[in-house]
Amino acid sequence: MADSEFKSPREHKRVRFIKEVEVVGVGMHRCSDLSPGGLYLETVHEFPVDSVMTVRFKLRDTDEQAIKVTARVLYIHEGVGVGLSFVDLSPHDREKIEKFIKHKSKVV
């Protein structure tokens, strides 16, 4: 994809989200932003575009249950990170993320 494609308005509002995210079966990676549609993982690990993985993360450290969702690699920034799109986010978890983002947007 050309860089210009990433400058267009995004489908979902995203917020800074600095947390450790587990890529199930691979390990922990730092996340830098989150939206109801996906997240960005900072990693030097090579995940090919269109590869599918399961990720698990908590919105807040105090959350009892982590969000566990299948995600697909939309794009890569070699040696920096990957943009992931959620594939099967439950309506309940999507609502949790939307509320989290709305609250975080008011605070910032």
Side-chain angles (χ1 to χ4, degrees), residues 8 16 18 22 40 49 51 53 59 68 90 92 102:
S8 63
R16 251 179 108 67
I18 310 299
E22 178 187 6
Y40 189 84
V49 171
S51 60
M53 64 194 72
L59 295 173
K68 185 177 177 184
S90 73
H92 174 73
K102 186 175 181 179

Side-chain angles (χ1 to χ4, degrees), residues 8-101:
S8 63
R10 297 194 182 269
E11 182 180 346
H12 303 285
K13 179 171 180 58
R14 53 180 55 208
V15 294
R16 251 179 108 67
F17 184 70
I18 310 299
K19 291 272 190 184
E20 290 293 309
V21 171
E22 178 187 6
V23 177
V24 176
V26 177
M28 301 301 284
H29 295 277
R30 182 179 154 147
C31 177
S32 60
D33 66 48
L34 172 72
S35 81
L39 53 81
Y40 189 84
L41 280 186
E42 297 174 0
T43 180
V44 295
H45 190 91
E46 294 186 26
F47 295 108
V49 171
D50 289 329
S51 60
V52 176
M53 64 194 72
T54 301
V55 295
R56 186 180 1 234
F57 61 94
K58 289 185 177 184
L59 295 173
R60 295 174 186 84
D61 293 337
T62 56
D63 288 353
E64 287 186 31
Q65 247 183 323
I67 292 173
K68 185 177 177 184
V69 60
T70 303
R72 182 176 64 86
V73 177
L74 286 181
Y75 60 90
I76 61 171
H77 294 134
E78 254 183 76
V80 179
V82 295
L84 302 180
S85 173
F86 297 142
V87 175
D88 63 354
L89 187 65
S90 73
H92 174 73
D93 286 340
R94 180 181 180 88
E95 184 178 328
K96 282 172 46 178
I97 291 172
E98 287 172 344
K99 284 181 181 178
F100 177 83
I101 289 171

